[in-house]
């Protein structure tokens, strides 16, 4: 029986490429694995898969009775509904430890570094398995995406070293230019509906029993949102009602200015103000230097929402 490998809901490039890279590694060490995904891929991920010649992994949202590896998360809120009926053989991740638990021993590779694909790179090294050229290119892009081309405070020396090694395998000289090209693809919002934008990179969290959803859009210039704020707020309100959330937020991250405009729809805005020590104006605030949801947003909200 093959084992499925997949990342979180609303998959980003790390989740999709991570499923592909981890499944490839496992197949090389004689464990039959199939990469899958829980949702639609983003334009950035499409760019990466096309550039390096990979098929989009199969969409699969139910895993009861299956053997699985999960990558890039360990929170129930980002897992398939029936994840606890699956046999979780392992977790590869770089987030806080979530609330997924297992009834059997499992393999865990969880490291406080910038990207799950950096962890997979270390696994390749550990098992002494060669990384194919095109896979190295895709893994490199996933790391550049998660670390915002090394600008994110989540980026470590392990990540920059992995990017350099992968770039050399892939034969890519100017990896930062490729990273920028990728973020330009990410910044093109034409034709996207409000819902596509609010949920493109959206995660739900359980914070002290309150359901908190946080989306993030990383762009090279925030002016792309100038005529879109109103429709984004409207959709955040709808999203909050549909999912009975306590709070829904959207981080509009400017990777050049290095900061995020936070849009908030909440039953209690004061909790968000308390978390960041700020005052919201028209339910928004500029958070200078904030690029990382997992390191600069979630921990502060969790403290305030407890
Ligand atoms: Mg991710
Ligand atoms: Mg990641
Ligand atoms: Mg990200």
């Amino acid at each position: 029986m093959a084992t499925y490998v997949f990342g979180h809901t609303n998959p980003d490039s790390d989740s999709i490429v991570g499923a592909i890279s981890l499944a490839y590694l496992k197949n090389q060490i004689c464990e039959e694995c199939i990469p899958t995904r829980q949702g639609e891929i983003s334009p950035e991920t499409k760019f990466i898969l096309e550039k390096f010649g990979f098929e989009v992994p199969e969409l699969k949202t139910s895993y009861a009775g299956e053997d699985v590896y999960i990558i890039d998360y360990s929170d129930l809120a980002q897992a398939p509904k029936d994840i606890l009926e699956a046999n979780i053989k392992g977790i590869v991740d770089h987030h806080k430890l979530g609330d997924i638990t297992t009834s059997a021993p499992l393999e865990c590779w969880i490291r406080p570094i910038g990207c799950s694909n950096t962890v997979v790179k270390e696994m390749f090294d550990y098992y002494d398995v060669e990384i194919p050229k095109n896979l190295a290119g895709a893994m490199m892009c996933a790391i550049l995406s998660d670390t915002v081309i090394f600008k994110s405070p989540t980026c470590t020396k392990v990540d920059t070293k992995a990017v350099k090694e992968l770039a050399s395998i892939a034969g890519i000289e100017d990896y930062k230019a490729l990273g920028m090209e990728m973020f330009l693809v990410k910044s093109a919002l034409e034709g996207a509906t409000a819902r596509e934008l609010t949920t493109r990179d959206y995660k739900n969290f359980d914070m002290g029993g309150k359901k908190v959803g946080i989306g993030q859009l990383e762009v090279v210039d925030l002016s792309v949102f100038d005529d879109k704020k109103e429709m984004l707020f409207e959709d955040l309100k709808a999203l909050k009602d549909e999912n009975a959330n306590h709070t829904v937020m959207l981080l509009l991250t400017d990777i050049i200015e290095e900061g995020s405009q936070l849009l908030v729809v909440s039953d209690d805005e004061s909790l968000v103000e308390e978390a960041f020590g700020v005052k919201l104006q028209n339910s928004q605030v500029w958070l200078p230097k904030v690029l990382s949801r997992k390191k600069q947003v979630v921990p502060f909200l969790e403290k305030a929402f407890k």
Side-chain angles (χ1 to χ4, degrees), residues 12 14 72 94-95 115-116 146:
D12 55 4
D14 191 24
D72 203 31
H94 68 126
H95 292 83
C115 184
S116 301
D146 260 18

Side-chain angles (χ1 to χ4, degrees), residues 10-304:
N10 300 312
D12 55 4
S13 297
D14 191 24
S15 273
I16 298 290
V17 175
I20 294 171
S21 59
L22 182 57
Y24 177 86
L25 171 68
K26 288 288 177 185
N27 282 316
Q28 294 310 109
I29 55 176
C30 298
E31 236 186 290
E32 199 194 334
C33 281
I34 299 170
T36 53
R37 64 185 161 96
Q38 292 196 60
E40 291 317 312
I41 64 166
S42 71
E44 180 199 67
T45 307
K46 184 168 177 274
F47 168 85
I48 297 171
L49 297 184
E50 280 173 5
K51 179 157 187 75
F52 296 102
F54 286 99
E55 302 268 315
V56 179
E58 180 193 328
L59 178 71
K60 184 168 164 63
T61 53
S62 174
Y63 292 89
E66 307 282 11
D67 285 347
V68 303
Y69 283 108
I70 63 172
I71 183 160
D72 203 31
Y73 73 103
S74 65
D75 277 319
L76 281 173
Q78 294 153 36
K81 293 267 178 293
D82 57 2
I83 188 70
L84 295 180
E85 293 164 59
N87 172 35
I88 301 172
K89 292 170 75 179
I91 302 174
V92 176
D93 192 22
H94 68 126
H95 292 83
K96 73 177 174 71
L97 187 59
D99 48 5
I100 286 178
T101 186
T102 64
S103 46
L106 79 165
E107 177 182 358
C108 270
W109 294 74
I110 303 176
R111 301 256 284 127
I113 55 180
C115 184
S116 301
N117 272 278
T118 308
V119 184
V120 178
K121 165 72 170 66
E122 296 198 307
M123 294 173 74
F124 269 96
D125 294 343
Y126 176 83
Y127 288 108
D128 199 18
V129 171
E130 212 173 294
I131 307 175
K133 209 173 162 179
N134 63 336
L135 185 57
M139 289 169 71
M140 183 197 78
C141 281
I143 302 171
L144 289 170
S145 171
D146 260 18
T147 62
V148 192
I149 323 178
F150 305 158
K151 288 184 183 192
S152 171
T154 60
C155 185
T156 67
K157 280 191 179 137
V158 188
D159 301 290
T160 50
K161 182 169 168 274
V163 163
K164 284 172 192 157
E165 289 176 14
L166 291 166
S168 134
I169 296 168
I172 293 164
E173 253 168 57
D174 197 348
Y175 52 82
K176 285 197 176 173
L178 178 55
M180 206 52 199
E181 199 186 331
M182 206 170 66
F183 274 95
L184 283 171
V185 170
K186 213 172 188 172
S187 305
L189 311 177
E190 291 91 47
T193 63
R195 183 54 57 92
E196 277 160 17
L197 294 178
T198 53
T199 59
R200 183 172 284 174
D201 179 4
Y202 178 85
K203 289 177 179 174
N204 264 317
F205 298 88
D206 181 324
M207 295 189 183
K210 299 178 190 74
K211 203 167 158 190
V212 178
I214 311 169
Q216 183 172 28
L217 290 165
E218 294 158 322
V219 297
V220 293
D221 184 355
L222 279 198
S223 67
V224 294
F225 297 114
D226 283 352
D227 58 348
K228 291 193 163 60
K229 288 254 182 76
E230 211 170 309
M231 87 175 196
L232 289 174
F233 262 117
E234 246 168 63
D235 193 65
L236 291 173
K237 279 182 195 128
L239 202 57
K240 177 179 174 298
D241 292 344
E242 285 162 35
N243 299 298
N245 270 36
H246 176 279
T247 300
V248 166
M249 280 176 257
L250 185 61
L251 288 159
L252 305 177
T253 300
D254 189 318
I255 71 157
I256 304 298
E257 289 292 318
E258 301 192 24
S260 295
Q261 184 76 16
L262 179 67
L263 315 188
V264 182
V265 178
S266 176
D267 289 341
D268 186 358
E269 283 190 356
S270 74
L271 290 175
V272 180
E273 295 184 327
E274 185 193 321
F276 300 107
V278 294
K279 277 271 166 250
L280 296 179
Q281 272 192 338
N282 299 323
S283 303
Q284 343 179 6
V285 68
W286 170 252
L287 301 172
K289 297 277 161 229
V290 169
L291 295 176
S292 166
R293 172 173 46 200
K294 76 165 74 58
K295 204 161 179 172
Q296 297 169 296
V297 176
V298 171
F300 300 100
L301 288 171
E302 286 204 314
K303 206 180 273 173

